[in-house]
PDB file of all heavy atoms in Angstrom:
ATOM      1  N   LYS A1356      83.690  27.489  89.590  1.00  0.00           N
ATOM      2  CA  LYS A1356      82.987  28.394  88.673  1.00  0.00           C
ATOM      3  C   LYS A1356      83.092  27.854  87.256  1.00  0.00           C
ATOM      4  O   LYS A1356      82.058  27.855  86.491  1.00  0.00           O
ATOM      5  CB  LYS A1356      83.586  29.795  88.762  1.00  0.00           C
ATOM      6  CG  LYS A1356      82.919  30.838  87.879  1.00  0.00           C
ATOM      7  CD  LYS A1356      83.535  32.192  88.018  1.00  0.00           C
ATOM      8  CE  LYS A1356      82.866  33.234  87.166  1.00  0.00           C
ATOM      9  NZ  LYS A1356      81.478  33.517  87.528  1.00  0.00           N
ATOM     10  N   ALA A1359      80.785  24.839  86.922  1.00  0.00           N
ATOM     11  CA  ALA A1359      79.377  25.198  86.910  1.00  0.00           C
ATOM     12  C   ALA A1359      78.999  25.825  85.563  1.00  0.00           C
ATOM     13  O   ALA A1359      77.792  25.811  85.190  1.00  0.00           O
ATOM     14  CB  ALA A1359      79.081  26.204  88.028  1.00  0.00           C
ATOM     15  N   GLN A1397      82.978  14.750  88.140  1.00  0.00           N
ATOM     16  CA  GLN A1397      84.389  15.122  88.403  1.00  0.00           C
ATOM     17  C   GLN A1397      84.895  16.110  87.403  1.00  0.00           C
ATOM     18  O   GLN A1397      84.378  16.195  86.269  1.00  0.00           O
ATOM     19  CB  GLN A1397      85.244  13.864  88.373  1.00  0.00           C
ATOM     20  CG  GLN A1397      85.224  13.038  89.662  1.00  0.00           C
ATOM     21  CD  GLN A1397      86.296  11.984  89.654  1.00  0.00           C
ATOM     22  OE1 GLN A1397      86.521  11.291  88.667  1.00  0.00           O
ATOM     23  NE2 GLN A1397      87.059  11.887  90.752  1.00  0.00           N
ATOM     24  N   ASP A1435      93.761  34.185  90.859  1.00  0.00           N
ATOM     25  CA  ASP A1435      93.439  35.207  91.895  1.00  0.00           C
ATOM     26  C   ASP A1435      92.347  36.183  91.508  1.00  0.00           C
ATOM     27  O   ASP A1435      92.197  37.243  92.078  1.00  0.00           O
ATOM     28  CB  ASP A1435      94.714  35.960  92.269  1.00  0.00           C
ATOM     29  CG  ASP A1435      95.363  36.667  91.087  1.00  0.00           C
ATOM     30  OD1 ASP A1435      94.910  36.507  89.936  1.00  0.00           O
ATOM     31  OD2 ASP A1435      96.423  37.345  91.311  1.00  0.00           O
ATOM     32  N   PHE A1505      91.454  45.146  81.499  1.00  0.00           N
ATOM     33  CA  PHE A1505      91.412  43.715  81.273  1.00  0.00           C
ATOM     34  C   PHE A1505      91.136  42.959  82.558  1.00  0.00           C
ATOM     35  O   PHE A1505      91.549  43.362  83.643  1.00  0.00           O
ATOM     36  CB  PHE A1505      92.791  43.309  80.697  1.00  0.00           C
ATOM     37  CG  PHE A1505      92.890  41.866  80.406  1.00  0.00           C
ATOM     38  CD1 PHE A1505      91.875  41.159  79.739  1.00  0.00           C
ATOM     39  CD2 PHE A1505      94.071  41.157  80.677  1.00  0.00           C
ATOM     40  CE1 PHE A1505      92.002  39.808  79.431  1.00  0.00           C
ATOM     41  CE2 PHE A1505      94.224  39.806  80.367  1.00  0.00           C
ATOM     42  CZ  PHE A1505      93.199  39.129  79.745  1.00  0.00           C
ATOM     43  N   GLU A1520     104.782  29.951  68.590  1.00  0.00           N
ATOM     44  CA  GLU A1520     106.064  29.399  68.143  1.00  0.00           C
ATOM     45  C   GLU A1520     106.718  30.308  67.157  1.00  0.00           C
ATOM     46  O   GLU A1520     107.925  30.532  67.185  1.00  0.00           O
ATOM     47  CB  GLU A1520     105.851  28.018  67.561  1.00  0.00           C
ATOM     48  CG  GLU A1520     105.451  26.957  68.621  1.00  0.00           C
ATOM     49  CD  GLU A1520     105.115  25.636  68.050  1.00  0.00           C
ATOM     50  OE1 GLU A1520     104.972  25.545  66.789  1.00  0.00           O
ATOM     51  OE2 GLU A1520     105.026  24.621  68.811  1.00  0.00           O
ATOM     52  N   LYS A1524     110.370  32.465  67.675  1.00  0.00           N
ATOM     53  CA  LYS A1524     111.436  32.382  66.654  1.00  0.00           C
ATOM     54  C   LYS A1524     111.765  33.789  66.110  1.00  0.00           C
ATOM     55  O   LYS A1524     112.963  34.154  66.030  1.00  0.00           O
ATOM     56  CB  LYS A1524     111.023  31.476  65.455  1.00  0.00           C
ATOM     57  CG  LYS A1524     111.010  29.971  65.910  1.00  0.00           C
ATOM     58  CD  LYS A1524     110.553  29.128  64.692  1.00  0.00           C
ATOM     59  CE  LYS A1524     110.460  27.647  65.130  1.00  0.00           C
ATOM     60  NZ  LYS A1524     109.989  26.834  63.984  1.00  0.00           N
TER      61      LYS A1524
END
Side-chain angles (χ1 to χ4, degrees):
K1356 181 179 180 67
Q1397 280 191 313
D1435 56 358
F1505 182 42
E1520 290 175 347
K1524 289 178 182 177

